[in-house]
Amino acid sequence: MKDTSFLIRNAAAIMTGLPGAQARHPGPDLRVANGVISAIGRLLPEPGERVVDATDCVIYPSWVNTHHHLFQSLLKGDPGGINLSLTPWLGATPYRYRPKFDEDLFRVAVRIGLVELVRSGCGTVADHNYLYYPGMPYDTSAILFEEAEALGLRFILCRGGATQTRQLEADLPASLRAETLEGYLADMERLVQRYHDPAPDAMRRIVMAPTTALYSMSPAQLRETAAVARKLGIRLHSHLSETVEYQNAAHASHGCRPVEFVGEHGWLGPDVWFAHLVKLDPEEINLLGRTGTGIAHCPQSNGRLGSGIAPIRELEAAGVPVSIGVDGAASNEAADMISETHAAWLLQRARVGQQAQAAHRGGSFEGGADAASVEDVVRWGTTGGARVLGLEALDGLRPGCAADLAIWSLDDPRYFGLHDPAIGPVASGGRPRLRNLFVGGRMIVEDDYIPGVDIWRLASQARAATARLMGS
Ligand SMILES: [Zn+2]
């Protein structure tokens, strides 16, 4: 299929994922050949080319999701954690259910999460997987790559893990025990050899990703992981500054701010991105910007856990590459890029509006409607994600770049009456019909259908798996 040439004709609008005046292209036609976009403009069909009619449709780059925990796709809406903030929620939901996962449950969870993402127009997924323990009888890394490949997705495995826990090892089941640093690094080398492709249009990548930079390892070990990652030529990822608890912990244990702590241990730079970065002092924003460290902004998870709203406008102004991640479905109930980008668009505006003050109290503005445009959000969710992952070939919808794109059909009444169809998929909320999704020039969704995926069968597998988890 990759060798097939497609002419996508007559789109109502094209969002490119590029900044400024390049954010939209008048099109209306786009040619895909040999896995890349070969032309955009007014184009005529060539012999042997397959024509895709995009009348009344809008074209976006396919989304790049830069932070997820796919195993949590079977942990949505757990009543024990639904109203808890991060720290108690971690114990009540992900940590509590982790030992119950086996190979079958893990695979079903991964499949649900990936299918959700594909249906939201996502073509590249970075999963922060931390289901590893000494003597584990199944290979979560292999399952993730297998399931992503079956759907035709680009997949980046951020290999999580911890060498220390906050509980006594002897009290824990085997599945919650920590790895040794030697074991962790040996598996990293194995994964890099087996899966990592440094090419700018790679379908598979490996990332060094201890689960939580502040807690998962000793400071000396954290420094060593950074050195090993750079020796292996891979990127670095972790959680940071999700709530005030990170500030408390860094202050109490190290007498500094969380971003300063990771910086002192080699964990800042253009090859590093962190999930969340909600609670930051201005000094930390400057430090992140100066070093070109990126963010995976996860607005729905941060909202659901009541953590706060990351200061994206300030981060971007400081020079921080911004991307969007859905985070695990145990903290947002639906891990898809359409609702995530919709939330990103609204919440940045609400955050700035929240800071507005009356004039007699020193205020100088009314609201925050200019804090994030749909073009900004599309850029963060596409080329911004490719940038933090180092996938240089996914640099927007322009000739020469990888043909990773979604064709959205705005045929639902929620889009009727829209003056500017280009903004529909982000601004109107809900999921438009996905006419087609291309990854690397290969059509992986056709007329809202994913070849080889039986949604009803997946639904019954999900029901059985959820019953097993709830009953055990
Ligand atoms: Zn996370």
Side-chain angles (χ1 to χ4, degrees), residues 71-72 75 77-100 130 167 304-305 330 469:
F71 87 95
Q72 294 182 7
L75 301 178
D78 164 35
I82 191 76
N83 297 321
L84 297 178
S85 296
L86 178 68
T87 304
W89 168 84
L90 280 168
T93 301
Y95 196 77
R96 175 170 158 237
Y97 283 102
R98 232 174 98 177
K100 301 176 196 291
Y130 52 82
Q167 286 173 275
R304 143 75 146 90
L305 294 169
L469 283 167

Side-chain angles (χ1 to χ4, degrees), residues 49-127:
E49 187 165 68
R50 185 169 159 195
V51 174
V52 176
D53 179 14
T55 302
D56 297 329
C57 294
V58 300
I59 304 177
Y60 277 35
S62 63
W63 300 114
V64 176
N65 168 26
T66 59
H67 185 73
H68 204 154
H69 310 288
L70 282 161
F71 87 95
Q72 294 182 7
S73 305
L74 283 170
L75 301 178
K76 295 171 183 168
D78 164 35
I82 191 76
N83 297 321
L84 297 178
S85 296
L86 178 68
T87 304
W89 168 84
L90 280 168
T93 301
Y95 196 77
R96 175 170 158 237
Y97 283 102
R98 232 174 98 177
K100 301 176 196 291
F101 274 81
D102 60 15
E103 182 166 0
D104 291 343
L105 289 176
F106 185 82
R107 190 179 289 278
V108 171
V110 169
R111 195 170 295 170
I112 292 167
L114 291 177
V115 166
E116 258 188 283
L117 285 165
V118 168
R119 284 170 55 78
S120 75
C122 183
T124 300
V125 180
D127 192 58

